[in-house]
Amino acid sequence: RSFLDQKEADQPFFFWYGSTEPHRAYEFGAGINYGNKKITDIDQVPPFWPDSDSIRTDMLDYAFEIEYFDSHLEKMLQILADRDLLDNTLVVVTADNGMPFPRIKGQMYEMNNHLPLAMMWPTGIVNPGRKENSFVNFIDFAPTFLNLAGITVEASGMQPVTGQSLTPILY
């Protein structure tokens, strides 16, 4: 809200929200204590972890942190909607490096390479609501944003860009 209050009304903008949720250190048992979750809410534990109450509690705590992040995202989207900015704003939601658990975060296992990415742009994305299976990476965001803004990499003053624009996926 503060950012939008300070920018000129017709000025294009880029805003990056980096949350501390769901990064460690979150409180052990928070999912149960504050999120009204139960150990039995976990359908299955990945086969490479021990199936114990402490592991299930940790998974619930992580889910609680994700829900907290989601509540912040919901508030930001509502602020954009209230200001009639949501329809023409590309919203990108992703995780940075996986869940903070063994064999996932910062390691070269399958679950580390499948991170969430959701993009919403009501007036810009053709055929919204679909699932896209293309491999994308964070290095693809800069060329995408530059492309959508009509700015070449050379004109941006940035170092050489190695990623690929995701605009073909959006259109």
Side-chain angles (χ1 to χ4, degrees), residues 18 20 26 41 43 63 65 67 86 119 135-136 157-159 164:
T20 58
Y26 41 81
D41 292 340
D43 293 331
E65 291 290 317
E67 289 171 357
L86 186 58
M119 301 175 87
F135 181 80
V136 300
M158 294 173 57
Q159 294 295 318
Q164 301 295 317

Side-chain angles (χ1 to χ4, degrees), residues 65-77:
E65 291 290 317
I66 295 290
E67 289 171 357
Y68 187 74
F69 171 86
D70 289 350
S71 72
H72 285 268
L73 177 60
E74 182 179 17
K75 290 174 187 173
M76 288 183 264
L77 293 175

Side-chain angles (χ1 to χ4, degrees), residues 44-75:
Q44 72 179 40
V45 173
F48 45 83
W49 298 337
D51 190 348
S52 67
D53 284 354
S54 63
I55 297 295
R56 287 173 176 263
T57 298
D58 203 26
M59 292 174 71
L60 293 172
D61 294 345
Y62 179 72
F64 181 66
E65 291 290 317
I66 295 290
E67 289 171 357
Y68 187 74
F69 171 86
D70 289 350
S71 72
H72 285 268
L73 177 60
E74 182 179 17
K75 290 174 187 173

Side-chain angles (χ1 to χ4, degrees), residues 137-144 153 160-166:
N137 203 314
F138 271 54
I139 61 173
D140 299 327
F141 292 148
T144 301
V153 174
V161 173
T162 56
Q164 301 295 317
S165 175
L166 302 176

Side-chain angles (χ1 to χ4, degrees), residues 108-127:
M108 295 307 297
Y109 290 100
E110 184 70 14
M111 291 179 75
N112 185 56
N113 292 306
H114 291 268
L115 303 177
L117 170 62
M119 301 175 87
M120 181 181 85
W121 184 15
T123 62
I125 295 177
V126 176
N127 301 318

